[in-house]
Amino acid sequence: MSKPSSGNAMDNKNNLITNILIIDETIREGMQYQGIMFSLEQRLRILDFQEKLKIDVCQAGYPSAHDSESQAVKTLLNHTQKNNYNIRIAAMGRANVLDAKIILNTGIKDLHFHVHIKSDAKLENLNTLLQKLAATIKHIKKRTPDALISIAMLDIGKHEASMLDHCLTFLQLHGVDILSLPDTSGILSPNQIFDKIHLLSKSAKKTCLSIHCHNDMGMASANGVMGIVAGARILEASALGIGERNGISDLYTTAKILKDQGFDIRIDTDNIETFKQYYQYVDAIVYEQTKSHLLQPNTPIFGIAAKTHVAGTHAKNNFGACSDESFTINVLCGKRLVKKYLDHQRIDFPDSKLSELTLEIKEKSTHLNRSLTLADINPLISSLLN
């Protein structure tokens, strides 16, 4: 994979939407969710899922945290080389020379750094920080000229556009490939994300913009999509949105929405079965360690509720990734839904009596003040057929 090009997602000259890259942060960000720890074996299995799904970049760990993290990142990198994988391995650290050396010692060429800028920082404070950052960038480029450098400037929800533009100008002058823009506090809405990214994208000529959204207000996936629409070229996401606090953008839903809108994304969103296995695997690890599930009945696409219907008009559509549809039969159901339910149960019942049966079901549901089971419905069917 070549380095990402800069510029807006939409090429105004010929109206063609350009390539979008996906960074899957399930491993690194996922280990910030309720104390989750992925073993090396689990990381390798997650990496295999990512390769099969055509993820562009795996953010594999944080080497400066501990020697075990360095070794894990090395092992994942060797695994991709041994198996001729297309996915790239990246590692994260603090934006200083020490962490850069530790990451480079793993053999990694995709270096992701984070820089903390206080929300009340003045321009002179920022310039001091950026000068220190320049030393880190210089060290990396001298040692590994073809390294790909990403810098996350925290956090876009708490900084003015002028500060972000100042950082972008500096990074472009120093040849940084990616400016990652995290809504670290998870406080922004999609329209706010759009305004910030769209304005900044006009200045992004040599440095590509990446979007990283947290889910504190339930907006992470929507914000991730809107960041790409606004001009970011890289989406940072994770399986089931696993991550710090309430998580980050969900990998499948964001990629699927963007791909359906015409963005050129390599990830194989049509491979729904592998995605389902990937999500179930991550969820099983979470459950083993926390005794709670990330994969819930109402999880978009992969939850069982996606194919649980009450209204017949909804039952016409093929929602969700679960194998079987289910039907809730109560006072709100109509004749069409009853027909779908009977067919699903392989019950032969004349269409001419469907209206009567539907009315009986509504009456029974109202009387019992609950949805009906097959045991409730069978006597109603028998009475109408005899």
Side-chain angles (χ1 to χ4, degrees):
M1 186 185 76
S2 61
K3 292 185 179 183
S5 60
S6 61
N8 293 337
M10 181 70 74
D11 182 340
N12 293 321
K13 185 176 180 180
N14 55 23
N15 206 35
L16 293 176
I17 297 175
T18 53
N19 178 250
I20 302 299
L21 301 181
I22 303 290
I23 299 175
D24 187 335
E25 300 186 349
T26 299
I27 294 174
R28 199 277 305 167
E29 181 81 35
M31 294 225 302
Q32 294 174 216
Y33 177 73
Q34 295 190 21
I36 292 295
M37 286 283 291
F38 294 120
S39 68
L40 180 57
E41 180 183 2
Q42 290 167 340
R43 292 190 199 204
L44 287 167
R45 179 78 186 280
I46 288 171
L47 177 62
D48 288 341
F49 277 119
Q50 293 172 351
E51 170 68 15
K52 191 171 183 180
L53 292 167
K54 300 182 180 179
I55 302 295
D56 297 296
V57 181
C58 168
Q59 196 177 85
Y62 201 104
S64 62
H66 192 263
D67 288 344
S68 63
E69 280 290 293
S70 291
Q71 188 58 49
V73 168
K74 285 182 185 178
T75 302
L76 266 64
L77 178 62
N78 291 337
H79 187 70
T80 64
Q81 295 169 343
K82 177 182 177 181
N83 293 284
N84 295 314
Y85 280 0
N86 289 311
I87 193 170
R88 293 173 69 102
I89 301 297
M92 176 164 265
R94 297 161 297 184
N96 58 47
V97 173
L98 176 60
D99 279 27
K101 288 180 178 178
I102 293 172
I103 294 174
L104 289 171
N105 285 340
T106 67
I108 291 294
K109 291 189 177 182
D110 288 42
L111 294 87
H112 296 179
F113 298 105
H114 59 91
V115 177
H116 180 68
I117 304 172
K118 294 182 179 180
S119 58
D120 59 350
K122 304 299 182 183
L123 187 58
E124 56 268 24
N125 303 126
L126 178 59
N127 285 333
T128 299
L129 186 151
L130 292 176
Q131 289 307 314
K132 292 180 180 178
L133 178 59
T136 302
I137 297 169
K138 182 179 179 180
H139 174 83
I140 295 168
K141 288 183 173 294
K142 182 178 180 180
R143 180 168 166 180
T144 309
D146 60 341
L148 191 151
I149 305 173
S150 173
I151 308 290
M153 312 297 282
L154 309 181
D155 104 33
I156 62 171
K158 294 183 177 180
H159 292 95
E160 297 297 326
S162 59
M163 295 282 280
L164 295 171
D165 193 67
H166 185 77
C167 291
L168 175 60
T169 299
F170 173 88
L171 296 180
Q172 291 191 129
L173 286 173
H174 287 79
V176 171
D177 302 285
I178 300 168
L179 169 58
S180 176
L181 299 167
D183 177 21
T184 309
S185 304
I187 61 176
L188 296 180
S189 61
N191 60 303
Q192 292 172 312
I193 285 285
F194 182 89
D195 291 343
K196 284 179 176 286
I197 302 298
H198 186 61
L199 181 63
L200 201 60
S201 70
K202 295 177 181 179
S203 303
K205 305 302 180 184
K206 297 180 180 179
T207 296
C208 186
L209 301 183
S210 182
I211 185 71
H212 176 105
C213 299
H214 279 261
N215 203 42
D216 297 72
M217 297 294 288
M219 293 285 114
S221 292
N223 284 345
V225 169
M226 194 57 73
I228 298 299
V229 172
R233 294 289 313 286
I234 300 176
L235 174 68
E236 302 175 30
S238 66
L240 289 164
I242 188 173
E244 181 82 15
R245 302 188 310 279
N246 227 29
I248 63 173
S249 301
D250 174 66
L251 175 66
Y252 180 82
T253 53
T254 50
K256 173 68 173 171
I257 288 170
L258 288 168
K259 206 166 190 180
D260 286 351
Q261 290 185 21
F263 287 92
D264 183 6
I265 300 178
R266 202 173 73 91
I267 187 172
D268 188 3
T269 53
D270 291 331
N271 193 349
I272 193 71
E273 186 57 37
T274 299
F275 256 110
K276 181 180 177 181
Q277 293 170 8
Y278 182 20
Y279 275 36
Q280 289 174 333
Y281 182 69
V282 172
D283 182 65
I285 296 170
V286 171
Y287 183 76
E288 179 183 28
Q289 296 189 31
T290 71
K291 304 307 176 188
S292 62
H293 287 285
L294 275 174
L295 187 58
Q296 299 291 334
N298 65 339
T299 298
I301 307 298
F302 300 97
I304 59 173
K307 284 194 174 182
T308 302
H309 306 296
V310 175
T313 51
H314 289 283
K316 290 171 61 179
N317 297 293
N318 184 25
F319 293 113
C322 56
S323 57
D324 294 320
E325 288 186 296
S326 62
F327 303 91
T328 299
I329 305 300
N330 62 23
V331 68
L332 296 180
C333 69
K335 185 170 66 173
R336 182 181 295 168
L337 192 282
V338 172
K339 172 63 175 173
K340 290 273 290 185
Y341 176 78
L342 294 175
D343 290 344
H344 185 73
Q345 296 292 337
R346 298 181 180 179
I347 296 174
D348 188 18
F349 189 83
D351 290 349
S352 60
K353 292 183 178 290
L354 271 176
S355 294
E356 294 178 73
L357 178 59
T358 302
L359 181 58
E360 290 288 336
I361 286 171
K362 288 174 178 285
E363 294 286 350
K364 184 79 169 179
S365 175
T366 301
H367 176 70
L368 296 176
N369 196 35
R370 62 171 172 79
S371 297
L372 302 186
T373 66
L374 183 59
D376 298 318
I377 295 171
N378 275 331
L380 303 179
I381 293 173
S382 296
S383 66
L384 290 172
L385 292 178
N386 293 330

